[in-house]
Amino acid sequence: MTLLSVENLSVTLNTMGGPARAVRDMTFTLERGETLGLVGESGCGKSMTALALMGLLPETARASGAVRLEGENLLEYSEAAMCRVRGNRIAMVFQEPMTSLNPLHTVGHQIGEALSLHRKLGRGEAQKEALRLLEVVGIPDAGKRLGNYPHQLSGGQRQRVMIAMALSCGPDLLIADEPTTALDVTIQKQILDLIRNLVNDLGMAMILISHDLGVIAQSVDRVHVMYGGGTVESGPTAAIFEHLSHPYTQGLFAAMPKLGQRAKRKDGAKRQRLNTIPGVVPELADLPAGCTFAERCGLVTDECRAAPPPLTSVAPPAGNASSGNASAGIAPARIVEDHFAACVHLDEARARLNSA
Amino acid sequence: MTQPGANGGGETLVEVFDLHKHYTLPKESLFRAAPRVFALNGVSFSIKTGRSFGVVGESGCGKSTLARAVMGLETPTSGRVLFREHDINAIGREELRQLRRNFQMVFQDPFGSLDPRQKVGRIIGEPMDALERVSSDERQGRVVEALEAVGLKAIDMDKYPHEFSGGQRQRIAIARALITRPALIVADEPVSALDVSVQAQVLNLLQDLQDEFNVTYMLISHDLAVVEYVCDEVAVMSEGKIVEHGPTEQIFSDPQHEYTRTLLDAVPQVAPPR
Amino acid sequence: MGANLTFVQRCIRHRSFVAGGILSGALVGIALLSVVWTPHNPIKMNIRGRFADPTWNHLLGTDQFGRDILSIIMSGAQNSITVGVVAVGIGLFFGVSLGLLASARRGWWEEIIMRMSDFMFAFPAILLAIMLVATIGPGAVNAIVAIGIFSIPVFARLTRGAANAVWAREFVLAARAAGKGRFRITVEHILPNIVSVLVVQTTIQFALAILAEAALSYLGIGSQPPTPSWGRMLSEAQTMIFLNPWLAVYPGLAIAMSVLGLNLLGDGLRDVIDPRLARER
Amino acid sequence: MSLFLVKRFITFLATLFGATILTFLALEILPGDPALVILGVDAPDSAVEALRLEMGLDRPAIERYFDWISGLLQGRFGTSYTYSVSVLELLEARLGITIPLALMAMVLSVVMALSLGLYAASQHNKRGDVTVMGVSQLGISVPNFWLALLLILLFAVHLRWFSAGGFPGWENGVWPAFKALILPSIALATVQGAILARFTRSAILETMREDYVRTARAKGLTRRATLWKHVLRNALIPVVTIMGLQFANLLAGTIVVENVFALPGVGRLILQSISQRDVVVVRDLVVLLAAMVVIVNFFVDLLYAVIDPRLKAHDI
């Protein structure tokens, strides 16, 4: 059975400026051992999606659609039932390791808490297990660290503790919301490697949320690029980065300065300008009726503004595969079946990219 | 203003000699000496007019302290900072104030670096007001000029910072730095709080301004890609020291120091589309 | 609290602000009115007409000397307001100056000023007020000064805390980078950014001053006869509590309503002046 | 023992020392010659002079200050001019009223504040919260001596459950004495409790917004469990500070409330001594009260070190 199946998940926030649709019709599935990345800029709805899965939305928020964990819709669960899911079957790692741990409790106590809650372990057993977990996440001198308070640890170590805590009950699904954004690159690499290896070893599923295309590209099997609360492009990571299809994904990629580009410039050539996406992210409270990216898109037509574009396969129907791709200049073999983008001008967008 | 050389690199604008900065932490124990932090531990470099000098390093490596020391906002424990051959820590307070028109700063946080109680016109005019008496007409004219240079409109003068997005606020901060037509702008993590699409707009703006006004940048960042993109020269800092220093191409394509290599290796990369 | 609402709109929508505003407005209005008009002369005694029940002539009746209670209470408002204004004025002026100084100079200045205010906090406020009043002698002015001195450390501490937070902001660093000195930064950046905090605390201190003055007058070391004072009315009423309990009700109600009004106003102001501040609370 | 506590202990001593100096100076400039006050204005100059000598008033102030302090340190209190007995003797019976009164009021206000604050925070923005906040707003606005009068009106004048004042003394049975302190302690505790309740509520609400509370919820803890296990202890840190500061107000409040209820406690003694210019009693009592406040605040600091591991981090 499919581990997680999210169907038309929408989250509406009651803000001062009126209802804001923070998440719009997110749909995806996830199997054990699979990793999914949600990538997008601030306010695109990626964190709200995570909180909706956890049932930890702010009080002013309403979720609709379905979040099915092995067939059971979590949105219909009572608060008490949800408490048995959280930390047990779905666990989460947050962005700020400095503030996400209770300053007044020892590390061991905080890791053991979920164990005694869900596994009904006694104090001694919970501590023994906590010690093992600290070793699993690679904290040196774990026995001593068990009795430490968070302020005695570095940022990277705290994030390891957070991961140990999330893993404590052997969850089926791990949600990591910007787990390395607050960390230095060298620490980021260690933490990402750790998470990747643990997910592999333990065979759980993972949703990794990040604003950083690089982090996403190196860490997950499949990606949803989010904009204005919804998915604008989704597919296997390799396919997406190989065939950036949605104008927003293309714009995001082009706007990112990439390491090693300077050496490729011709000597004496004037600095290349970065491509930019004009305009700003729209307010969630008054999103346009049609494509949320329309106002910043170079390819916009009236059609875009009329209705939200559906997610359509980037791979054209089998019948006209050759003719459809000839103009875009993409070898048909590379097109993957489950690569989708929500754009009515997909062909133009891809053609534009290839001609550039 | 000094005339730059033909290829944009001329005389030396800033020179830093063996800069040290130690902080004393609160005592942890009654009987042991208070611990000290060596934020800067012997840093030397120089920046030439019209060039972009980048400083990269991880948090706590001393790069922000260095930026503030160059700006004369932090008195070094030892060492010298020379701006056009004036030692900014040795000259008098008034002289330093007059010298300040030549170097301005752009900060990281586009929400914290603008006084929420002041209108944009006043914020941008501040460095000018602090240094000289100008007629209100001239003041107005120069504020508008600065606003337009960063792609904002004259009417934005009468708005408050909270009416702008993060990217626009960073433009306002840059306009403030431009108002005295400085030779040097020290930018401490100017884009790290911005989303990628907005970051690109600001980076392009910095580049355009350099072409237009021949301004020299000292750019502090933890983001290697940003530094590589903007800077002609890079210094890599670790634990209060510059461990490697040289032309950008060389540092990024052929790093010599172990730490630089570790840093470069750690950056997650996206394979460019084929 | 929509950010788009104007200041006035936010005020009108805020219930406790409106209630506090009405009560405080009434306090000031009555005090002003009593300067030019009261139903009767609040000082004039009429032994034959003492302990009169409420009538149209004496809406709240008369006291043990036959004085009109409503008139005394109205005049008592003057006393409370004077005490509040002067005492809070003293506290505000010295406290804010010291707080700003501590925050601008840091180091030893800050250490000394803060230790002093810590010390003042450790001392029971009314106790030292009693001592001061006892030293200089009882009287309204001394009570006011004593109360004023006690709000100095409150304002000093608050100002220093709020100002330190502002000094840590990047826009102050930007002002320093622009070449502005500590004094100009304090005037142009620090003060405007802490005004809202100070305004809120001022209304609360005002309420505390009214309470403290009432307590001192009740103990007989505040304002002296014949100046009408709510606190002293209560101490006089207590001696006749079995005879005429209502005498102990009106002045207390007047104090409570004034203080309630100011407290509500303070709470309301906190939300209204600075919507961001309200969210942080 | 941590550096934090050492620092606090030094501050503690310094504050006590400052209190003695302030008190001494204030009373030094007190108008009126104590000798004259005791003997009356009509007394012959020679008698006044003799008494001044006897009391040591002719010696320099600094000498008298050190005499006083060294006396206090050895547990020797001065002798009252008006009562002609040692201050210690005066205190004995009176502390038996003031200390139980203050403790009762403190316990009452803390119990009231914590339960109401917790309840209001858990009902945030619901009816219970609004009611508690409204009532506490009213509680803050009522002067404690007026509340005392109202309590007398209701329970003594109207219902006749309690007497309107006075104190039977502990020797005549614990219950009557305790009963005499009930109304005064309610009057004292209500205002303090209302302030503390509001503060507790906002401290809890603030803590509930912390990231680690979200972490706890993500572990599967219920809202209630999170509140008890993670929020409360963190929220207590600021609440405890305020509690310590409030103890000063509570003691000051006893001066007023003892007067309302005609309780022969320390507060009443102070007021009487001031009006009688009995300098020796006043200064000893003021220092005593200040010492009590400072000691309580020092214990608050000790409590901090227990609650917050960040403060015990560094050993000496």
Side-chain angles (χ1 to χ4, degrees):
Chain A
M1 182 177 255
T2 306
L3 175 69
L4 179 76
S5 145
V6 173
E7 295 154 23
N8 295 316
L9 175 68
S10 292
V11 174
T12 309
L13 285 169
N14 253 327
T15 65
M16 302 302 173
R21 293 189 65 189
V23 179
R24 328 218 293 173
D25 291 324
M26 284 294 286
T27 298
F28 57 85
T29 59
L30 202 57
E31 300 293 347
R32 277 195 181 74
E34 251 188 327
T35 54
L36 173 73
L38 300 182
V39 67
E41 296 181 288
S42 52
C44 72
K46 52 195 195 299
S47 285
M48 270 307 156
T49 307
L51 291 177
L53 298 188
M54 291 292 287
L56 286 178
L57 285 171
E59 278 176 39
T60 54
R62 269 306 141 264
S64 64
V67 175
R68 292 188 203 285
L69 187 66
E70 295 192 317
E72 297 246 14
N73 187 355
L74 297 183
L75 295 185
E76 288 165 0
Y77 267 32
S78 69
E79 175 59 26
M82 219 33 227
C83 280
R84 286 192 290 275
V85 174
R86 284 195 285 262
N88 191 16
R89 305 194 53 201
I90 308 180
M92 191 157 171
V93 176
F94 296 98
Q95 174 175 351
E96 282 293 336
M98 298 318 248
T99 54
S100 293
L101 290 169
N102 190 332
L104 305 187
H105 292 309
T106 61
V107 164
H109 176 91
Q110 297 192 56
I111 298 175
E113 203 168 10
L115 287 166
S116 45
L117 185 73
H118 299 295
R119 291 286 166 79
K120 312 285 177 228
L121 293 190
R123 214 186 141 77
E125 283 170 293
Q127 289 309 297
K128 213 186 289 169
E129 178 65 10
L131 178 67
R132 190 188 68 81
L133 286 161
L134 279 184
E135 278 161 359
V136 168
V137 296
I139 288 195
D141 210 357
K144 207 181 122 205
R145 288 299 177 201
L146 212 54
N148 274 176
Y149 289 95
H151 71 269
Q152 293 163 300
L153 307 177
S154 69
Q157 282 177 326
R158 288 193 207 192
Q159 200 59 304
R160 285 176 194 265
V161 169
M162 286 295 292
I163 293 168
M165 231 156 70
L167 296 180
S168 58
C169 293
D172 298 317
L173 170 64
L174 176 73
I175 303 175
D177 187 0
E178 305 267 10
T180 57
T181 305
L183 304 173
D184 279 325
V185 268
T186 47
I187 312 288
Q188 162 168 294
K189 185 178 161 66
Q190 297 167 9
I191 296 286
L192 287 177
D193 287 347
L194 173 73
I195 293 181
R196 228 179 4 240
N197 291 337
L198 286 170
V199 167
N200 263 338
D201 296 349
L202 303 173
M204 58 189 166
M206 174 174 75
I207 297 178
L208 177 75
I209 293 169
S210 181
H211 68 280
D212 188 329
L213 286 174
V215 167
I216 289 289
Q218 298 197 339
S219 309
V220 293
D221 307 333
R222 289 194 309 133
V223 177
H224 275 241
V225 182
M226 292 183 71
Y227 186 83
T231 303
V232 293
E233 185 164 354
S234 70
T237 310
I240 289 210
F241 286 106
E242 216 162 302
H243 307 294
L244 303 162
S245 298
H246 194 279
Y248 173 66
T249 321
Q250 296 175 350
L252 196 61
F253 189 84
M256 198 176 69
K258 284 160 281 285
L259 267 188
Q261 292 297 89
R262 183 176 279 258
K264 291 182 192 156
R265 282 182 211 160
K266 289 176 199 84
D267 284 334
K270 192 133 178 51
R271 267 180 289 185
Q272 218 180 316
R273 288 172 68 83
L274 287 168
N275 286 311
T276 61
I277 306 176
V280 290
V281 178
E283 289 278 330
L284 289 176
D286 59 358
L287 285 179
C291 174
T292 49
F293 188 61
E295 296 315 314
R296 303 177 74 183
C297 183
L299 301 172
V300 62
T301 59
D302 287 345
E303 198 186 349
C304 304
R305 296 196 175 100
L311 273 174
T312 45
S313 176
V314 169
N320 55 2
S322 51
S323 64
N325 285 307
S327 59
I330 293 172
R334 289 195 175 277
I335 300 283
V336 187
E337 284 298 319
D338 57 352
H339 182 180
F340 296 93
C343 182
V344 291
H345 301 299
L346 258 184
D347 291 343
E348 286 103 309
R350 289 219 322 258
R352 186 178 63 164
L353 186 74
N354 283 289
S355 66
Chain B
M1 203 152 167
T2 36
Q3 284 305 309
N7 58 355
E11 64 181 80
T12 299
L13 188 65
V14 178
E15 272 184 288
V16 169
F17 287 115
D18 196 27
L19 211 57
H20 288 257
K21 175 74 191 181
H22 306 164
Y23 293 104
T24 308
L25 291 183
K27 281 183 98 159
E28 287 179 359
S29 155
L30 212 51
F31 305 112
R32 265 177 272 140
R36 287 201 295 176
V37 174
F38 297 86
L40 295 177
N41 214 351
V43 173
S44 305
F45 62 87
S46 63
I47 308 177
K48 290 205 164 61
T49 301
R51 306 279 286 174
S52 303
F53 183 83
V55 180
V56 283
E58 297 188 284
S59 53
C61 72
K63 56 189 193 301
S64 278
T65 310
L66 181 63
R68 286 171 195 204
V70 169
M71 284 300 297
L73 294 173
E74 198 111 51
T75 322
T77 313
S78 69
R80 287 189 299 163
V81 178
L82 303 188
F83 185 86
R84 289 205 179 124
E85 292 166 10
H86 299 281
D87 184 337
I88 64 167
N89 294 300
I91 58 177
R93 192 189 280 196
E94 188 50 38
E95 252 181 293
L96 175 62
R97 222 162 64 87
Q98 289 305 323
L99 199 60
R100 277 194 186 280
R101 78 181 65 226
N102 296 307
F103 49 94
Q104 293 290 334
M105 193 163 180
V106 176
F107 299 90
Q108 169 177 5
D109 178 7
F111 291 87
S113 64
L114 309 178
D115 188 337
R117 305 257 162 210
Q118 294 190 349
K119 286 183 179 165
V120 166
R122 191 165 168 207
I123 293 173
I124 293 178
E126 181 165 50
M128 189 168 51
D129 297 341
L131 300 172
E132 52 201 307
R133 288 215 164 274
V134 278
S135 69
S136 70
D137 276 355
E138 194 199 336
R139 185 179 188 286
Q140 175 110 359
R142 280 178 62 180
V143 169
V144 170
E145 203 181 299
L147 268 172
E148 282 168 353
V150 298
L152 293 169
K153 295 187 211 72
I155 50 160
D156 290 332
M157 267 180 79
D158 293 319
K159 293 185 186 163
Y160 285 97
H162 68 82
E163 297 172 59
F164 295 88
S165 69
Q168 287 173 319
R169 282 161 157 258
Q170 210 57 320
R171 286 171 191 268
I172 294 171
I174 293 169
R176 168 173 61 191
L178 283 176
I179 193 96
T180 59
R181 297 168 188 144
L184 171 74
I185 290 182
V186 176
D188 187 358
E189 302 273 10
V191 294
S192 64
L194 305 176
D195 273 325
V196 173
S197 63
V198 181
Q199 166 180 307
Q201 297 169 6
V202 172
L203 290 178
N204 282 341
L205 173 67
L206 287 176
Q207 186 179 317
D208 294 346
L209 293 174
Q210 186 163 46
D211 294 344
E212 197 174 342
F213 301 107
N214 193 43
V215 62
T216 306
Y217 289 127
M218 174 170 164
L219 180 91
I220 314 290
S221 182
H222 69 279
D223 189 330
L224 283 89
V226 166
V227 170
E228 189 201 329
Y229 176 73
V230 174
C231 300
D232 309 307
E233 256 182 81
V234 177
V236 181
M237 276 188 79
S238 172
E239 294 175 1
K241 282 185 186 146
I242 292 180
V243 295
E244 188 165 2
H245 176 193
T248 307
E249 288 84 357
Q250 190 188 316
I251 300 267
F252 282 82
S253 56
D254 185 20
Q256 297 301 308
H257 195 278
E258 179 62 38
Y259 179 71
T260 313
R261 278 198 288 269
T262 317
L263 215 53
L264 281 167
D265 275 350
V267 178
Q269 300 244 40
V270 191
R274 267 159 271 169
Chain C
M1 239 151 299
N4 306 327
L5 293 178
T6 64
F7 179 73
V8 177
Q9 279 173 318
R10 287 205 303 269
C11 291
I12 294 172
R13 281 178 180 213
H14 200 284
R15 246 184 284 162
S16 71
F17 179 86
V18 172
I22 290 174
L23 282 173
S24 311
L27 174 68
V28 175
I30 288 172
L32 288 177
L33 178 66
S34 74
V35 176
V36 291
W37 177 83
T38 50
H40 295 267
N41 183 342
I43 309 175
K44 198 174 154 237
M45 303 187 192
N46 175 12
I47 302 299
R48 240 175 280 162
R50 65 203 199 122
F51 294 132
D53 288 331
T55 59
W56 280 113
N57 192 16
H58 298 286
L59 276 178
L60 298 178
T62 59
D63 68 1
Q64 72 274 26
F65 299 114
R67 292 174 299 194
D68 181 50
I69 291 175
L70 180 62
S71 301
I72 309 181
I73 288 188
M74 283 175 68
S75 306
Q78 283 177 40
N79 187 45
S80 289
I81 290 205
T82 317
V83 172
V85 169
V86 180
V88 172
I90 293 173
L92 204 56
F93 179 77
F94 291 103
V96 171
S97 309
L98 286 173
L100 288 176
L101 181 70
S103 173
R105 307 294 308 216
R106 305 307 286 264
W108 280 106
W109 279 94
E110 184 177 33
E111 193 64 22
I112 290 169
I113 291 173
M114 284 307 115
R115 283 310 130 242
M116 291 289 278
S117 82
D118 272 357
F119 173 67
M120 296 284 269
F121 268 113
F123 239 90
I126 285 193
L127 183 64
L128 212 54
I130 287 173
M131 257 175 60
L132 255 167
V133 167
T135 311
I136 320 170
V141 177
N142 297 341
I144 292 174
V145 171
I147 297 166
I149 289 177
F150 284 108
S151 47
I152 293 176
V154 177
F155 280 112
R157 202 174 247 266
L158 182 78
T159 303
R160 177 259 194 175
N164 277 356
V166 181
W167 273 101
R169 304 277 297 275
E170 274 188 347
F171 63 77
V172 172
L173 203 59
R176 285 179 56 207
K180 284 200 171 159
R182 286 196 189 111
F183 182 75
R184 277 186 83 177
I185 290 177
T186 299
V187 172
E188 291 173 21
H189 292 286
I190 310 296
L191 210 48
N193 275 289
I194 64 172
V195 153
S196 54
V197 186
L198 291 177
V199 166
V200 172
Q201 192 62 36
T202 301
T203 63
I204 290 168
Q205 284 306 118
F206 203 105
L208 288 177
I210 289 180
L211 278 177
E213 192 276 337
L216 290 178
S217 292
Y218 171 81
L219 294 175
I221 49 180
S223 60
Q224 300 296 306
T227 316
S229 146
W230 295 338
R232 219 182 45 257
M233 286 175 82
L234 280 173
S235 84
E236 286 166 8
Q238 194 187 355
T239 55
M240 284 158 291
I241 198 156
F242 288 91
L243 218 57
N244 194 338
W246 285 106
L247 287 184
V249 174
Y250 302 129
L253 212 53
I255 300 171
M257 285 301 115
S258 309
V259 174
L260 180 67
L262 287 163
N263 280 340
L264 287 175
L265 190 67
D267 268 17
L269 276 175
R270 173 157 44 218
D271 300 350
V272 169
I273 293 182
D274 204 338
R276 282 168 306 152
L277 203 71
R279 274 205 297 275
E280 281 160 22
R281 253 152 226 280
Chain D
M1 188 86 162
S2 70
L3 187 66
F4 167 74
L5 287 182
V6 173
K7 274 187 186 159
R8 298 315 296 171
F9 190 71
I10 294 169
T11 316
F12 164 70
L13 290 180
T15 312
L16 268 186
F17 180 64
T20 60
I21 290 184
L22 189 71
T23 313
F24 188 81
L25 282 180
L27 295 173
E28 193 62 22
I29 50 171
L30 186 83
D33 188 331
L36 253 178
V37 172
I38 293 165
L39 294 174
V41 197
D42 300 331
D45 284 355
S46 56
V48 173
E49 200 51 42
L51 186 63
R52 283 180 62 89
L53 270 176
E54 189 192 319
M55 288 164 68
L57 287 177
D58 55 328
R59 289 184 299 141
I62 192 128
E63 228 172 274
R64 281 180 285 132
Y65 173 75
F66 280 110
D67 276 358
W68 174 47
I69 294 300
S70 62
L72 282 184
L73 287 178
Q74 296 162 34
R76 256 190 300 115
F77 285 78
T79 308
S80 161
Y81 302 151
T82 39
Y83 296 94
S84 300
V85 292
S86 152
V87 175
L88 197 62
E89 218 166 299
L90 286 174
L91 273 178
E92 260 176 278
R94 290 174 170 84
L95 277 178
I97 295 172
T98 303
I99 287 181
L101 175 61
L103 284 182
M104 277 167 72
M106 193 76 199
V107 170
L108 199 62
S109 75
V110 168
V111 169
M112 203 159 80
L114 290 187
S115 49
L116 285 181
L118 194 61
Y119 173 75
S122 67
Q123 301 283 311
H124 185 41
N125 278 343
K126 291 185 192 140
R127 197 184 292 162
D129 181 27
V130 175
T131 314
V132 169
M133 282 305 101
V135 171
S136 69
Q137 185 69 266
L138 212 61
I140 291 175
S141 310
V142 172
N144 53 12
F145 59 95
W146 185 53
L147 183 67
L149 282 179
L150 291 183
L151 289 173
I152 292 176
L153 262 182
L154 180 63
F155 292 105
V157 179
H158 193 66
L159 296 172
R160 298 183 182 279
W161 290 354
F162 294 90
S163 69
F167 188 71
W170 293 102
E171 63 280 3
N172 297 324
V174 171
W175 171 241
F178 181 76
K179 199 176 154 195
L181 295 182
I182 290 178
L183 289 187
S185 60
I186 292 175
L188 259 181
T190 305
V191 181
Q192 307 295 332
I195 297 173
L196 202 54
R198 295 178 74 82
F199 196 84
T200 307
R201 169 184 175 268
S202 66
I204 290 177
L205 288 178
E206 219 154 280
T207 313
M208 291 213 284
R209 280 193 284 273
E210 295 284 348
D211 283 349
Y212 55 77
V213 174
R214 191 183 50 186
T215 307
R217 297 275 287 137
K219 270 187 224 173
L221 263 64
T222 60
R223 218 177 277 274
R224 180 184 293 264
T226 313
L227 187 65
W228 284 104
K229 291 183 186 161
H230 290 269
V231 175
L232 209 53
R233 211 169 130 200
N234 280 286
L236 265 181
I237 294 176
V239 171
V240 161
T241 314
I242 298 294
M243 263 188 225
L245 289 177
Q246 279 207 338
F247 187 75
N249 291 330
L250 206 83
L251 273 184
T254 62
I255 300 177
V256 183
V257 168
E258 280 175 5
N259 268 283
V260 182
F261 288 93
L263 296 173
V266 177
R268 213 169 149 79
L269 180 63
I270 278 195
L271 217 58
Q272 285 166 351
S273 311
I274 284 176
S275 58
Q276 288 156 351
R277 293 285 183 273
D278 198 338
V279 183
V280 173
V281 181
V282 173
R283 73 177 177 207
D284 282 1
L285 290 187
V286 168
V287 168
L288 180 81
L289 288 185
M292 279 161 75
V293 171
V294 176
I295 289 169
V296 165
N297 279 292
F298 180 63
F299 275 105
V300 164
D301 288 337
L302 287 181
L303 203 57
Y304 259 160
V306 174
I307 299 179
D308 196 337
R310 284 164 291 192
L311 293 178
K312 334 181 241 218
H314 311 301
D315 293 324
I316 291 183

